């Protein structure tokens, strides 16, 4: 088991435990939190049927009295209706001794369960047990919890840190390969923004990683978690421009997702992959990054099995328009996180529209 920590002072710091089958030996970590005996797992039926035994075995060792709330397996679960339903159920289970939440699942479960934890009785503790690569390296860490409104994703939310993150890499074995590759997109992102060594490890071990080799998975999830933790420590509330570095590849990535209506055409990680390719090419054209480094980034994205080309089904005008609605645009000025070398990015403003347009245009299949 590897451990990382999010240090946010005495009361709000928490551990991130990472490793194969760690849920079964997590009892000391859980007991150490002194959250009481009453826990409610929030998850979806698919995840529960796949991993119920392993999770229950581990949690019962921590002598917990466990209830379960199942929510539908869909982004639609990140809704105000679902949050109220969750809270109504918790009210019936809460014996007044102080119940806490265990979010077992991907980013959808983590976001909605964390949000419910943040508002029920003005905040009760919660633990994240992320079960997708994306959730283990990104959404479960850092306390951003939210639901969607019809007008935009993640519009209603809070900063509300979990008390523990248990990233059991054995749960990733049941994930569809497309999900694994998608999560790898975020891990490549961490390599480019902060960690040359992680990037090199990915280049050299991508085949083993795609075979879900235990030690490699543990290592890359550990390194990524550490980077996310360090960034959150420095800029918990996303106010200092440090957390913004995590948006590398996300400006064009989000525009791509939005312009295909969040359909199955591109998953988040796939869209971010293309976004990273475009951002790297923009950086080269602006003289910020050498062409060799951009080539390495693009090659690694390809080797991870992520697309680097844009489907002709999406019109370039739609992508440009979606981008102009991006929340990273402030007073009409766009903001891009661009690599200056592998392991370092900077935030740039007001990138010429023509340069963005031409870069995207050349990415069409
Ligand atoms: N809070 C944050 O900081 C943050 C950061 C990034 C993304 N997000 C949010 O995360 C969400 C996306 O998360 P995601 O990519 O994990 O998607 P997801 O939660 O929808 O999970 C993807 C699919 O995988 C299934 N699944 C989960 N674990 C599995 C397992 N171990 N085996 C088999 N199937 C499994 C789920 O049931 C689902 O069908 C979005 O709502 C996004 O807004 C939040
Ligand atoms: Zn992302």
């Amino acid at each position: 088991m590897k451990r990382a920590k999010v240090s946010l002072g005495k009361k709000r710091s928490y551990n991130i435990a990472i490793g194969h089958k760690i849920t079964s030996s997590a009892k000391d970590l859980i007991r150490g939190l002194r959250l009481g005996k009453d826990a409610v797992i929030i998850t979806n039926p698919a995840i529960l049927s796949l991993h119920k035994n392993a999770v229950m075995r581990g949690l019962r060792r921590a002598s917990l009295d466990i209830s379960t709330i199942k929510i539908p397996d869909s982004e639609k679960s990140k809704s105000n209706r679902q949050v109220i339903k969750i809270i109504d159920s918790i009210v019936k289970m809460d014996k007044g001794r102080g119940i806490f939440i265990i979010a077992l699942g991907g980013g959808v479960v983590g976001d909605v369960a964390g949000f419910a934890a943040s508002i029920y009785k003005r905040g009760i503790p919660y633990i994240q047990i992320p079960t997708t690569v994306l959730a283990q390296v990104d959404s479960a860490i850092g306390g951003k919890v939210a639901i969607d409104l019809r007008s935009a994703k993640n519009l209603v939310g809070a900063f509300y840190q979990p008390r523990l993150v248990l990233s059991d890499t054995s749960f990733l074995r049941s994930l569809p390969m497309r999900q694994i590759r998608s999560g790898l997109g975020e891990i490549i992102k961490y390599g480019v923004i902060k960690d040359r060594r992680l990037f090199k490890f990915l280049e050299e071990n991508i085949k083993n990683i795609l075979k879900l080799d235990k030690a490699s998975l543990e290592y890359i999830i550990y390194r990524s978690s550490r980077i996310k933790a360090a960034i959150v420590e420095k800029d918990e509330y996303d106010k200092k421009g440090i957390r913004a570095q995590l948006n590398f590849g996300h400006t064009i990535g989000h525009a791509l997702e939005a312009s295909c209506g969040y359909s199955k055409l591109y998953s988040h990680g796939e869209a971010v992959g293309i976004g990273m390719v475009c951002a790297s090419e923009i950086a080269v054209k602006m003289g910020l990054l050498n062409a060799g480094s951009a080539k390495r980034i693009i090659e690694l994205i390809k080797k991870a099995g992520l697309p680097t080309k844009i489907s002709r089904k999406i019109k370039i005008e739609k992508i440009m328009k979606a981008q102009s609605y991006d929340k990273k645009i402030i007073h009409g000025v766009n903001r891009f996180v661009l690599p200056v070398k592998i392991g370092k990015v900077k935030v740039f403003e007001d990138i010429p529209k023509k340069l963005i347009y031409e870069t995207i245009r050349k990415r069409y299949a």
Side-chain angles (χ1 to χ4, degrees):
M1 183 198 296
K2 283 193 161 52
R3 259 201 233 186
K5 190 171 181 182
V6 183
S7 296
L8 297 167
K10 215 175 175 186
K11 287 204 172 137
R12 294 184 311 115
S13 296
Y14 55 95
N15 283 309
I16 306 165
I18 304 136
H20 189 76
K21 297 200 169 164
I22 56 161
T23 313
S24 54
S25 53
K27 73 172 195 307
D28 293 336
L29 280 171
I30 296 172
R31 275 191 191 149
L33 297 171
R34 299 182 188 284
L35 300 177
K37 285 200 175 311
D38 297 331
V40 52
I41 295 177
I42 300 177
T43 189
N44 73 37
I47 299 165
L48 195 64
S49 69
L50 284 164
H51 300 294
K52 186 175 182 180
N53 292 345
V55 172
M56 291 303 180
R57 218 179 305 129
L59 298 180
R60 289 219 173 93
R61 281 188 191 146
S63 318
L64 297 177
D65 188 353
I66 305 161
S67 318
T68 308
I69 296 174
K70 286 183 257 179
I71 62 171
D73 182 3
S74 158
E75 175 77 25
K76 291 199 182 94
S77 280
K78 282 175 60 172
S79 69
N80 49 357
R81 256 189 68 224
Q82 191 58 249
V83 170
I84 297 304
K85 264 177 104 173
I86 289 171
I87 292 176
D88 272 339
S89 307
I90 295 178
V91 171
K92 289 180 196 130
M93 295 162 182
D94 190 352
K95 298 173 188 115
R97 296 182 297 206
I99 197 164
F100 68 95
I101 289 176
I102 297 173
L104 173 72
V108 165
V109 168
D111 278 11
V112 69
F115 184 61
S118 79
I119 56 172
Y120 175 57
K121 288 185 171 171
R122 298 199 175 83
I124 59 167
Y126 75 111
I127 291 176
Q128 289 274 18
I129 306 189
T131 60
T132 62
V133 178
L134 177 126
Q136 295 194 349
V137 299
D138 192 1
S139 61
I141 305 166
K144 276 192 182 178
V145 293
I147 54 170
D148 304 334
L149 292 192
R150 210 167 294 159
S151 47
K153 280 186 62 166
N154 300 319
L155 209 54
V156 176
F159 288 96
Y160 191 66
Q161 301 294 341
R163 301 294 293 271
L164 174 69
V165 180
L166 284 177
S167 291
D168 188 330
T169 52
S170 72
F171 293 159
L172 306 179
R173 299 195 167 266
S174 56
L175 270 181
M177 209 50 214
R178 190 174 177 195
Q179 281 277 336
I180 302 268
R181 293 184 201 279
S182 225
L184 268 175
E186 299 283 354
I187 296 178
I188 295 171
K189 176 190 84 177
Y190 286 117
V192 177
I193 67 172
K194 274 268 179 259
D195 193 342
R196 214 158 39 111
R197 265 175 67 192
L198 170 62
F199 190 90
K200 198 150 182 278
F201 184 88
L202 292 167
E203 285 181 316
E204 288 167 0
N205 297 280
I206 194 75
K207 277 195 184 143
N208 274 342
I209 294 167
L210 289 169
K211 284 184 202 150
L212 306 186
D213 169 64
K214 279 183 212 163
S216 306
L217 267 187
E218 186 176 293
Y219 178 76
I220 61 173
I221 290 169
Y222 166 68
R223 296 283 298 198
S224 303
S225 303
R226 259 185 28 167
I227 297 167
K228 174 98 193 232
I231 290 177
V232 169
E233 284 168 4
K234 289 193 195 113
D235 187 12
E236 183 180 1
Y237 300 108
D238 209 354
K239 290 268 188 268
K240 300 180 186 161
I242 301 168
R243 208 161 166 160
Q245 294 176 54
L246 295 166
N247 287 329
F248 170 55
H250 282 61
T251 307
I252 290 173
H254 279 152
L256 206 54
E257 281 184 284
S259 55
C260 60
Y262 295 94
S263 65
K264 297 261 182 295
L265 194 55
Y266 289 113
S267 69
H268 176 69
E270 289 165 351
V272 167
I274 292 171
M276 291 193 288
V277 171
C278 292
S280 304
E281 288 178 333
I282 290 171
V284 171
K285 285 181 194 151
M286 288 175 63
L288 303 165
L289 179 73
N290 67 53
S293 298
K295 198 170 164 226
R296 278 176 70 192
I297 296 171
I298 297 167
E299 275 309 304
L300 182 55
I301 292 169
K302 271 189 199 157
K303 276 206 242 163
L306 291 164
T308 55
K309 297 278 184 197
I310 302 172
S311 157
R312 297 218 166 262
K313 286 184 190 147
I314 312 172
K315 293 238 155 51
I316 190 161
E317 288 71 25
K318 244 183 156 180
I319 304 174
M320 293 301 289
K321 196 166 172 201
Q323 213 194 124
S324 67
Y325 294 137
D326 196 280
K327 60 184 171 200
K328 288 179 280 305
I329 293 192
I330 300 163
H331 304 307
V333 176
N334 64 37
R335 286 173 108 203
F336 269 79
V337 180
L338 300 178
V340 292
K341 62 180 182 183
I342 289 171
K344 193 173 166 76
V345 287
K346 285 187 184 165
V347 180
F348 293 86
E349 289 188 344
D350 227 359
I351 306 293
K353 242 181 153 178
K354 192 159 178 274
L355 176 56
I356 302 169
Y357 184 92
E358 277 309 309
T359 308
I360 295 177
R361 193 180 62 80
K362 287 205 180 123
R363 275 288 132 203
Y364 272 82

